[in-house]
């Protein structure tokens, strides 16, 4: 049995099962911190929403990094897209890359929508993934072509209309969270939150064209991986205490 008092939870009043459950609720579903607080209270766990927020800040990125290491290798097609988000009354751009299976590879919040911003995204992707894709699919924004010529000149680039639905379909969960959080407060907050949110979504994503039995198996495996990542008992999360 795993030790609930793993060193990463030292000096915390609550065990790993409670902390990981709260973080799972917050990043997996479009819930406010107050809602997570109430859901925990319904299970007899008295904890403030500020504590949940601090748990998310302290443990969220570490969980996301571990999830990334455990996921299968990404596909060889990268779909890139950018969407506007409003932060403190200013327009920013959320750049996101997904593979052909819908797995989010990475995100980058930037204040510009130009070739320099596209280059930053491609460099980050190459550093994170370790290799270039076979095909890169984008919309018709000219910044992508300029960045690709410099960063990944040997990669095939497709910009036909309608090919990039995979990336465009990855934005609605972000929009839901943006509404629930009444917009992001800063670019740094958006970057930190979405970096974790997308990786948790990757872990619990339902694979396409699967029947109910296969989906249940993949969900059990996702809970098992989550327990390994968080050093929590898998039965505690699955049963909801």
């Amino acid at each position: 049995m795993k030790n609930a008092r793993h060193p990463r939870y030292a000096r915390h009043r609550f065990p790993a099962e409670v902390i990981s459950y709260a973080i799972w609720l917050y990043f997996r579903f479009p819930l406010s911190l107050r809602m997570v607080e109430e859901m925990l209270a319904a299970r007899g766990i008295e904890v403030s929403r500020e504590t949940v927020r601090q748990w998310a800040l302290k443990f969220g990125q570490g969980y996301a990094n571990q999830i990334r290491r455990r996921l299968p290798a990404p596909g060889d097609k990268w779909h890139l897209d950018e969407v506007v988000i409003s932060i403190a009354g200013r327009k920013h751009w959320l750049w996101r890359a997904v593979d052909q299976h819908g797995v989010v590879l990475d995100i980058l919040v930037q204040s510009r929508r130009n070739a320099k911003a596209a280059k930053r995204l491609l460099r980050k992707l190459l550093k994170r993934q370790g290799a270039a894709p076979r095909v890169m699919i984008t919309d018709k924004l000219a910044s992508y072509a300029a960045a690709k010529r410099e960063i990944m000149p040997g990669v095939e680039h497709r910009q036909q209309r309608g090919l990039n639905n995979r990336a465009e379909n990855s934005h609605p969960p972000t929009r839901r969270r943006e509404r629930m959080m009444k917009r992001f407060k800063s670019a740094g907050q958006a970057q930190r939150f979405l970096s974790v949110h997308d990786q948790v979504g990757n872990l619990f994503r339902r694979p396409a064209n699967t029947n109910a039995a296969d989906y249940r198996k993949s969900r059990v495996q996702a809970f098992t991986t989550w327990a390994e990542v968080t050093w929590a008992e898998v039965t505690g999360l699955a049963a909801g205490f």
Side-chain angles (χ1 to χ4, degrees):
M1 180 180 294
K2 292 179 180 178
N3 183 6
R5 287 299 173 184
H6 185 271
R8 72 172 67 178
Y9 300 104
R11 297 184 297 279
H12 282 273
R13 179 162 61 98
F14 290 98
E17 287 75 20
V18 172
I19 294 173
S20 67
Y21 183 63
I23 294 173
W24 177 71
L25 287 174
Y26 182 55
F27 285 108
R28 180 69 181 114
F29 305 105
L31 301 173
S32 67
L33 291 168
R34 187 184 295 275
M35 290 176 179
V36 175
E37 176 185 349
E38 291 181 1
M39 293 179 73
L40 293 174
R43 290 162 173 76
I45 303 169
E46 295 295 333
V47 59
S48 71
R49 59 183 181 275
E50 175 59 21
T51 298
V52 175
R53 188 181 75 85
Q54 292 296 332
W55 286 346
L57 287 174
K58 180 175 181 179
F59 298 106
Q61 191 58 58
Y63 292 171
N65 293 341
Q66 291 293 325
I67 290 171
R68 189 189 298 274
R69 296 187 185 103
R70 286 168 168 76
L71 290 178
D76 59 358
K77 289 184 181 180
W78 292 0
H79 296 254
L80 279 62
D81 194 42
E82 74 291 338
V83 64
V84 66
I85 57 176
S86 179
I87 300 176
R90 293 183 55 196
K91 182 185 292 186
H92 286 70
W93 296 92
L94 170 63
W95 300 71
R96 178 181 276 119
V98 304
D99 70 6
Q100 65 265 40
H101 308 298
V103 175
V104 178
L105 304 176
D106 219 330
I107 64 104
L108 189 59
V109 178
Q110 304 190 81
S111 59
R112 295 288 184 270
R113 185 179 180 238
N114 54 20
K116 183 177 179 180
K119 289 175 187 176
R120 286 190 63 197
L121 176 66
L122 293 185
R123 290 192 183 101
K124 186 180 183 187
L125 284 168
L126 286 176
K127 182 178 179 180
R128 180 81 73 176
Q129 304 304 323
R134 179 176 59 85
V135 179
M136 187 176 86
I137 302 172
T138 70
D139 57 24
K140 293 185 179 294
L141 181 67
S143 300
Y144 287 117
K148 189 207 78 74
R149 283 195 298 269
E150 180 176 333
I151 307 301
M152 301 188 304
V155 173
E156 179 184 352
H157 187 195
R158 301 176 186 172
Q159 291 183 283
Q160 292 91 335
R161 185 173 182 176
L163 285 180
N164 210 30
N165 290 338
R166 181 72 69 183
E168 293 172 357
N169 290 339
S170 69
H171 297 314
T174 299
R175 291 300 193 197
R176 288 193 290 270
R177 293 314 301 258
E178 187 181 24
R179 289 194 296 270
M180 179 58 65
M181 299 170 75
K182 297 181 180 178
R183 301 188 184 276
F184 299 109
K185 305 303 185 291
S186 69
Q189 183 215 14
Q191 181 73 42
R192 288 189 298 270
F193 177 84
L194 294 173
S195 293
V196 181
H197 173 267
D198 285 354
Q199 290 306 312
V200 175
N202 284 342
L203 179 60
F204 289 95
R205 181 182 60 88
R206 179 169 185 166
N209 303 319
T210 57
N211 57 35
D214 289 340
Y215 172 56
R216 285 193 291 269
K217 291 179 182 178
S218 69
R219 186 172 57 190
V220 169
Q221 181 56 50
F223 279 126
T224 300
T225 301
W226 181 259
E228 294 172 353
V229 164
T230 63
W231 284 82
E233 290 293 335
V234 66
T235 53
L237 177 58
F241 304 102

